[in-house]
């Protein structure tokens, strides 16, 4: 393991929790066909593991949002870098996030997507950092509640590093 890192959620726990989330989502969307909107880049690992545990029909699509600048601190600015390929009007949308921190990114996309008149919008996030929340959000499916410290691994990066780690780690 990288020397300055401390594992906070190991790969086995992540795998087990994703199975539970997938079961809940499969139960809730049994006769529907939700559009899973993965928010790039951080959620690409999570969504890949999540979809392999779902036993319902779904569509997967991707958007890319810029929120963080370089380093661990948010710039506060949010913009849509890559939009969906699908029309979501009348559809059941589930945002797939790696981590919700201030919540500013998610509230921006929420507002942007509501204007497209989907039938429903829910959120699944692997990690939820309540300590730093600024926006008022409702998150239906949460993998793990964690403290407000910066984490990497399992898709999450620090300046593009550490995305491939099979666990979630913080810095010592
Ligand atoms: P928010 O807008 O503050 O909720 O931040 C959301 C986005 O910031 C996430 O989708 C991540 O891309 C990034 N982010 C927030 N916290 C972390 C972290 O601890 N590690 C890596 N990226 C993070
Ligand atoms: Mg993200």
């Amino acid at each position: 393991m990288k020397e300055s890192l401390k594992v906070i959620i190991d790969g086995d726990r992540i795998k087990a929790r994703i199975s539970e989330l997938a079961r809940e989502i499969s139960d809730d969307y049994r006769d529907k066909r939700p559009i899973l909107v993965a928010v790039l880049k951080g959620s690409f690992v999570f969504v890949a593991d999540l979809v392999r545990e779902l036993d319902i029909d779904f569509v997967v699509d991707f958007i890319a949002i810029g929120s963080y600048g370089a380093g661990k601190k948010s710039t506060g600015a949010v913009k849509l870098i890559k939009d969906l390929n699908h029309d979501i009007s009348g559809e059941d949308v589930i945002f797939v996030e790696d981590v919700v921190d201030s919540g500013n990114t998610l509230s921006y996309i929420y507002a942007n997507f509501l204007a497209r008149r989907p039938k429903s919008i829910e959120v699944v996030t692997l990690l939820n950092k309540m300590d730093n929340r600024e926006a008022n959000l409702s998150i239906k499916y949460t993998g793990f509640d964690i403290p407000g410290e910066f984490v990497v691994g399992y898709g999450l990066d620090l300046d593009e590093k550490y995305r491939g780690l099979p666990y979630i780690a913080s810095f010592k």
Side-chain angles (χ1 to χ4, degrees), residues 51-72:
V51 296
R52 282 178 287 181
E53 298 284 330
L54 293 174
D55 70 346
I56 50 169
D57 289 337
F58 61 85
V59 171
V60 69
D61 204 345
F62 298 90
I63 59 171
I65 295 287
S67 148
Y68 275 57
K72 298 178 188 169

Side-chain angles (χ1 to χ4, degrees), residues 38-44 65 67-68 96-100 105 155-157 163:
V39 185
L40 295 173
K41 292 190 244 179
S43 64
F44 78 105
I65 295 287
S67 148
Y68 275 57
V96 182
E97 264 285 23
D98 50 354
V99 54
V100 181
T105 306
L156 288 97
D157 74 308
R163 287 195 201 276

Side-chain angles (χ1 to χ4, degrees), residues 22-39:
R23 179 186 304 244
E24 273 185 64
I25 292 170
S26 298
D27 286 347
D28 293 349
Y29 290 83
R30 181 61 58 199
D31 298 314
K32 299 172 179 164
R33 186 168 172 257
I35 302 189
L36 303 175
V37 176
V39 185

Side-chain angles (χ1 to χ4, degrees), residues 39-42 65 67-68 72 74 78 97-106 127 129 132-133 137 146 148-152 156-158 163:
V39 185
L40 295 173
K41 292 190 244 179
I65 295 287
S67 148
Y68 275 57
K72 298 178 188 169
S74 171
V78 175
E97 264 285 23
D98 50 354
V99 54
V100 181
D101 187 14
S102 70
N104 290 331
T105 306
L106 203 52
L127 305 173
K129 295 203 261 183
N132 302 334
R133 192 60 42 84
L137 293 171
I146 61 167
E149 62 186 344
F150 198 83
V151 294
V152 293
L156 288 97
D157 74 308
L158 173 60
R163 287 195 201 276

